Amino acid sequence: MIKTRFAPSPTGYLHIGGIRTAIFNYAFAKKHNGKFFLRIEDTDIERSTQEAVDKILEGMSWLNLNHDGDIVYQAKNFNRHKEIIAQLLQHGHAYECYSSKEDLEQMRQDCEKKGIKPKYDGTWRPEEGKTLPPVPEGVTPVIRLKNPLDGNVTWEDQVKGQISVCNEELDDLILQRSDGSPTYNLSVVVDDADMGITHVIRGNDHINNTPRQINIYKACGFDIPSFAHLSMIHGEDGQKLSKRHGAASVTEYRELGYLPEAVNNYLARLGWSHGDAEIFSLDELCELFSLKSITSSPSQFDIKKLQWLNNHYLKQKNFEEIEVLLTPQFAKRFSDRKQLLGIFDLYKDRCNSLRDFEVNAEMVLTKPENISHELIEKYISDISINRLQNLRDLFNASDFTSESIETILKAYVKTEQIKFPEVAMPLRVVLLGTDQSPSVGQIIALLGKDDFNNRLSEQI
Ligand code: GLU
């Protein structure tokens, strides 16, 4: 059975790249009727926070990326990690190293002089026939892996293809610090093995850890999983995506009014493809997903495409689904459902997010203050005011439905021999304070007779 995991470190916000990793792990497991687990890598006590854990859980549940089984908290496996380290020591796959900070600094400088990569020189590495230095008193050792000295570590990366690294390039990695705490690479391997993870799908930033981890797997006698390293997501400037490029955390996208369907769909397509298809539900993604279709080159984050997808999913929703997603502040101020429904129908084509909808709805539902001079100069004159007054009388004599208002407008421009925008634009400016809106006839009907008359008289 295929088993994958998402293993975030709760040290900050849940990055959009992290969530893409989660989506790929989720989709791959579901595609093969396998299991998708969540492991919180909280061993960095100083930097891990409950708040960050909550954000991870919130983001995943918002995106419907439901994990199987219980959440694994890595820090709780501390004793198990130490048990494995003890076994490695016992079987001669690891050793105690008493080199001091100064010794290590000296080794670093020696390597630098020789122009080679800094590396532990093996002083404390036991070898047959070698006499180790006397153990210094009062020093707690670190524990190092006895990394093979020659040969290569080779794996078939599911995204990058075959990767081979010389053991000579790898250090005798520290598995346990002198304070007794296990190190990151050891903990990841033990947890993945204990959880029965078959496929490790994670960011490219971990690719250097993989040969080290494979050597730990071998030393422990654990089955080695398949690895798939995902390329980074870049901003439009080609640099690694970060806060600098705007919103980067998943919860921020929710606050900005994006729908989970759109975020999932967008991130799934960021680095993975299925022909030319662009629109996928999470279920469809799980059906179609394959590691082979992940690109090995970096992807570029394109907010316009996310907006386009969000608009696509927004339009598919009915108003009942939308109204529960509006911000409480908005819902408190505007509660006339009939009007909101009318606005949604009228505006949904031009809304890229729920916040766009709120901004538009607010514009319709509140009379404009401080209309810009530019708009007044462009559209308002004695002639246009006179036309608006005439139209007002005509509208008021009608039943005030959008059909009647539109019929009146059409007839009016015909008799006056003017173009439609010559009345539509001044109406928009006076009623909404903008020269951009959907059908002005429908807007007037939505406002209703009283509101229309008030706004018009006030502005005139
Ligand atoms: N905790 C690591 C991170 O957040 C992931 C480790 C892994 O996937 O192996 O980057």
Side-chain angles (χ1 to χ4, degrees), residues 24-80:
F24 286 3
N25 274 289
Y26 177 86
F28 185 66
K30 297 295 150 188
K31 159 89 189 183
H32 297 283
N33 294 319
K35 301 270 184 225
F36 165 69
F37 296 113
L38 173 63
R39 182 171 73 229
I40 304 287
E41 301 209 315
D42 54 350
T43 45
D44 186 341
I45 317 255
E46 304 262 292
R47 291 173 62 225
S48 299
T49 64
Q50 186 56 43
E51 198 192 338
V53 173
D54 294 343
K55 287 268 180 245
I56 292 167
L57 302 183
E58 202 182 304
M60 291 190 59
S61 109
W62 179 56
L63 294 173
N64 262 319
L65 301 172
N66 302 318
H67 59 85
D68 292 299
D70 291 338
I71 302 173
V72 174
Y73 287 90
Q74 189 159 60
K76 290 202 179 138
N77 296 339
F78 187 85
N79 289 338
R80 170 71 179 151

Side-chain angles (χ1 to χ4, degrees), residues 5-11 21 39-41 74 184 188 192 200-203 205-206 209 213:
R5 66 3 177 225
F6 176 46
S9 307
T11 52
T21 303
R39 182 171 73 229
I40 304 287
E41 301 209 315
Q74 189 159 60
Y184 168 73
V188 169
D192 280 339
V200 172
I201 306 168
R202 62 182 171 200
D205 46 342
H206 287 285
N209 289 328
Q213 291 181 6

